[in-house]
Amino acid sequence: MIDYDLLVEKYHKLGITDLPTRDMIKTEEEIEGIREAGRINTLVLDEVSKHIRAGISTDDINDIVHKKTLELGGIPAPLNYEGFPKSVCTSVNDAVCHGIPSKNQILKNGDIINVDCTTIYNGYYGDASRMFLIGACSDVAKDICKVTKEALDLCLKEIKPYSRLRDIGYIIEKYCKAHGYSVVHEIGGHGVGKDFHEDPFVYHFGKKGTGMVLFPGMVFTIEPMVNEGSRRVFLDASNDWTIYTDDGGLSAQWEYTLVMTETGLEILSY
Ligand code: MF3
Ligand code: CO
Ligand code: CO
């Protein structure tokens, strides 16, 4: 456990004032709670991966997530969150995020889908998402899913305690751009704990060496949304939830819940 006051004093002497607030530094007990919620959340995504295939509907995925979460003693956090009507987000092809499961949406050969699960367990949250390739996908579909995950994994390799928050976004956008893709700016990662979305907002773009200093004990997600074409997006006015790419190009996303330790980022849910 860090000495928060000592660290703040040290950084203030250096003239660096963009620091985590005290409540962003989780106790060992809180981290254990989030770790358990994250473990359950990972098991729910594992269950999805066993059953997802062409021919099932996104509402079938919702059923799988809902049932498995309850079976493991958790609560699906999306359900009724700010009016969200389902237990999971299912975002297909040009849907960037916050897709709403539907009986009428049948997965077909060549689709790519993000399944974003969040579980509440003992009052703590775990949040993660994965991409799934349905049957035989195009080369670009396979590549954008791969590159997005690589961008996220690169952060785990390069971000250390006392790195700066915007280093995360710098790494992600640089890597994705180098592979010919764009990064969505409007939606970011977030702190995780006893609330679904806590501070700080985790940008997926930015200038190296700027932003909040990342102290050990911080728990947050990184969840880049990466587009095949333009980074521009729009909100589906018919449901006020789902975000799509402006140009109809594909979008991929991966998300982990992470804890900053004394040595680097550790995955709590994937
Ligand atoms: N799981 C999403 C995230 O990563 C949030 C979904 S909010 C919902 O932050 F209401 F759409 F579920
Ligand atoms: Co999240
Ligand atoms: Co999520």
Side-chain angles (χ1 to χ4, degrees):
M1 186 77 187
I2 58 163
D3 186 333
Y4 179 79
D5 294 314
L6 202 69
L7 274 171
V8 168
E9 193 190 314
K10 183 187 128 187
Y11 277 101
H12 280 177
K13 276 186 186 147
L14 295 167
I16 298 170
T17 55
D18 195 351
L19 303 172
T21 54
R22 197 183 293 274
D23 59 307
M24 288 182 199
I25 312 305
K26 303 314 197 221
T27 63
E28 280 307 321
E29 186 189 328
E30 288 170 329
I31 292 167
E32 270 318 298
I34 305 162
R35 189 189 304 283
E36 273 303 288
R39 191 179 65 79
I40 305 285
N41 195 59
T42 300
L43 290 173
V44 174
L45 275 163
D46 288 345
E47 184 70 11
V48 170
S49 72
K50 283 185 210 154
H51 300 285
I52 198 162
R53 58 178 169 77
I56 73 167
S57 73
T58 50
D59 197 59
D60 293 330
I61 297 168
N62 185 72
D63 283 343
I64 292 164
V65 168
H66 192 89
K67 288 202 183 87
K68 190 69 186 177
T69 305
L70 296 189
E71 183 190 313
L72 294 168
I75 300 166
L79 188 60
N80 301 321
Y81 173 76
E82 292 183 7
F84 192 80
K86 293 283 179 173
S87 298
V88 61
C89 295
T90 52
S91 305
V92 178
N93 296 334
D94 60 329
V96 172
C97 63
H98 304 165
I100 300 175
S102 161
K103 281 188 170 56
N104 302 325
Q105 187 177 37
I106 311 294
L107 295 180
K108 57 182 194 310
N109 189 43
D111 282 344
I112 61 169
I113 177 174
N114 176 272
V115 178
D116 189 344
C117 288
T118 312
T119 301
I120 311 170
Y121 187 76
N122 270 330
Y124 292 99
Y125 286 75
D127 185 12
S129 80
R130 302 181 193 168
M131 293 303 297
F132 297 96
L133 299 161
I134 307 301
C137 291
S138 68
D139 287 345
V140 64
K142 284 187 272 192
D143 190 62
I144 195 170
C145 293
K146 177 170 168 275
V147 166
T148 306
K149 185 168 188 298
E150 285 169 353
L152 176 52
D153 288 335
L154 198 54
C155 293
L156 269 67
K157 216 176 100 190
E158 294 194 358
I159 298 294
K160 297 292 168 201
Y162 313 107
S163 290
R164 306 296 287 262
L165 183 65
R166 301 302 291 261
D167 293 345
I168 293 170
Y170 174 79
I171 291 165
I172 286 170
E173 193 167 59
K174 186 179 171 202
Y175 189 80
C176 293
K177 276 188 172 169
H179 287 266
Y181 301 122
S182 66
V183 175
V184 174
H185 285 190
E186 289 81 353
I187 304 135
H190 49 90
V192 177
K194 286 180 175 148
D195 281 309
F196 200 156
H197 297 114
E198 300 184 355
D199 285 338
F201 184 89
V202 179
Y203 298 88
H204 299 123
F205 66 102
K207 192 165 152 18
K208 189 161 67 170
T210 69
M212 185 181 286
V213 179
L214 299 173
F215 285 6
M218 292 178 76
V219 178
F220 55 87
T221 71
I222 306 178
E223 48 180 298
M225 282 141 273
V226 177
N227 294 352
E228 177 186 3
S230 162
R231 71 169 177 83
R232 299 290 168 189
V233 296
F234 71 92
L235 175 68
D236 182 345
S238 75
N239 66 24
D240 242 12
W241 274 105
T242 311
I243 310 271
Y244 290 94
T245 60
D246 252 4
D247 60 10
L250 294 174
S251 189
Q253 178 181 24
W254 292 83
E255 176 177 25
Y256 302 150
T257 296
L258 302 156
V259 58
M260 181 61 83
T261 73
E262 301 280 348
T263 53
L265 290 168
E266 180 193 336
I267 299 179
L268 299 183
S269 192
Y270 62 89

